[in-house]
Amino acid sequence: MKIKKMLDTGISHVVLAVLSVIWILPILWVILTSFRGEPGSFTPYFWPKSFTIDNYINLFTDTQFHFAQWFMNTLFVAVCSCVLSTFFNLATAYCLSRLQFAIRKPFMNLALILGMFPGFMSMIAIYYILKGIGISQSLVALILVYSGGAGLGFYIAKGFFDTVPKSLDESAILDGATKFQVFTKIVLPLSKPMITYTALTSFMAPWVDYIFASVIMGDNYEKYTVAIGLAKMLDREFINYYYTRFAAGSVLVSIPIAIVFIIMQRFYVEGVADGAVKG
């Protein structure tokens, strides 16, 4: 039995080591490419022949691609979407967890059904709605798109709120508190893991989204996000010259998310685990 246990442990470690290498290699390759001195989109070797930081410098000084402006556009959209989406999500989850009304269950079932369809199925309709009200190709349009449907993702937050004792609400109401005061001053302070989880997922969406941003922005070059801008560098006429800068931009884009996630990882994991306990 001891030999069998050691053998199983050894096999598990080998499998995990192989999976770790497979996971790390693409990340290492992007980082090495961002410091590569040789231009071109393809090289028949993994380790660069020369290293340089010019790719990062040129990324901010180049007049063809305005990476710094795209980065700030994305940061602005991400922060605003994070605040609005977090509020919409948590407020919807709290209402469905605490309040009893006639269409509560039908609404939850409808939200579950709508969540089965990918969001990009509605992007053409959303574009024409935004165009009709005159705000297409703007950062405000992106913020509305990213935060508008946040309330439908209430299920995990609702599961978390279901674990908070309702006796706390009742005691506060007896002391004269309103529903909104109960939500903001009692329930939310007890829900830091869920707030962190919701805020992180809402913040990350604008950084990685390309489909909605490209449809809404069209040819408004100044309002591009980093996802659209970096993808533009891979066009046929730019790829050979800008490929290493594309890799440098990819590294820079990943840094803010990685820092925020590492700092808040403990709350993130607690939010996912606690929100999945009850539904």
Side-chain angles (χ1 to χ4, degrees):
M1 290 295 294
K2 187 176 181 180
I3 297 177
K4 184 176 182 301
K5 185 177 180 181
M6 292 177 61
L7 184 62
D8 291 341
T9 302
I11 294 175
S12 300
H13 288 171
V14 171
V15 172
L16 291 174
V18 172
L19 292 176
S20 299
V21 171
I22 294 174
W23 183 78
I24 292 174
L25 273 179
I27 300 175
L28 180 60
W29 178 79
V30 172
I31 295 175
L32 290 175
T33 302
S34 70
F35 289 102
R36 194 179 74 197
E38 311 89 80
S41 60
F42 172 77
T43 53
Y45 45 84
F46 181 82
W47 195 266
K49 294 181 179 179
S50 62
F51 290 87
T52 180
I53 62 172
D54 289 344
N55 296 323
Y56 289 90
I57 297 174
N58 294 333
L59 198 63
F60 290 94
T61 58
D62 189 276
T63 57
Q64 177 93 23
F65 294 96
H66 305 158
F67 180 82
Q69 183 174 356
W70 297 341
F71 191 93
M72 295 307 298
N73 290 343
T74 309
L75 182 62
F76 175 74
V77 172
V79 172
C80 293
S81 300
C82 175
V83 174
L84 291 175
S85 297
T86 302
F87 177 76
F88 290 157
N89 192 313
L90 295 179
T92 304
Y94 176 77
C95 291
L96 294 172
S97 174
R98 290 297 200 266
L99 306 181
Q100 298 295 328
F101 47 94
I103 62 171
R104 177 175 175 270
K105 287 188 177 181
F107 176 82
M108 293 176 62
N109 293 333
L110 178 62
L112 182 62
I113 294 172
L114 291 176
M116 296 179 182
F117 297 94
F120 62 80
M121 290 180 63
S122 61
M123 64 183 179
I124 302 300
I126 292 175
Y127 172 76
Y128 280 106
I129 292 173
L130 295 172
K131 186 176 181 180
I133 60 180
I135 60 171
S136 61
Q137 296 189 346
S138 68
L139 298 181
V140 174
L142 278 182
I143 294 172
L144 292 178
V145 168
Y146 292 136
S147 59
L152 290 178
F154 62 84
Y155 270 94
I156 294 180
K158 177 187 175 299
F160 182 90
F161 288 146
D162 287 343
T163 64
V164 178
K166 293 184 179 180
S167 57
L168 296 176
D169 301 29
E170 296 169 354
S171 300
I173 292 174
L174 289 175
D175 290 336
T178 62
K179 293 285 187 181
F180 185 76
Q181 288 175 328
V182 172
F183 174 61
T184 56
K185 296 184 179 181
I186 295 179
V187 177
L188 286 185
L190 297 174
S191 308
K192 289 182 181 178
M194 183 49 55
I195 295 174
T196 303
Y197 165 77
T198 307
L200 278 177
T201 53
S202 301
F203 183 84
M204 290 169 62
W207 285 95
V208 300
D209 178 63
Y210 170 79
I211 298 177
F212 268 110
S214 61
V215 171
I216 292 173
M217 287 307 172
D219 59 353
N220 191 348
Y221 191 78
E222 300 298 324
K223 299 297 182 181
Y224 276 5
T225 61
V226 287
I228 311 175
L230 291 178
K232 196 71 175 176
M233 293 182 183
L234 299 181
D235 287 351
R236 180 177 298 180
E237 64 267 30
F238 301 122
I239 187 170
N240 283 329
Y241 186 73
Y242 283 95
Y243 192 76
T244 51
R245 299 186 194 180
F246 163 81
S250 301
V251 173
L252 292 177
V253 168
S254 66
I255 291 176
I257 298 178
I259 292 175
V260 172
F261 189 84
I262 291 173
I263 294 174
M264 299 184 175
Q265 183 179 15
R266 178 170 62 88
F267 295 108
Y268 180 87
V269 174
E270 289 179 5
V272 175
D274 292 345
V277 173
K278 295 181 181 180

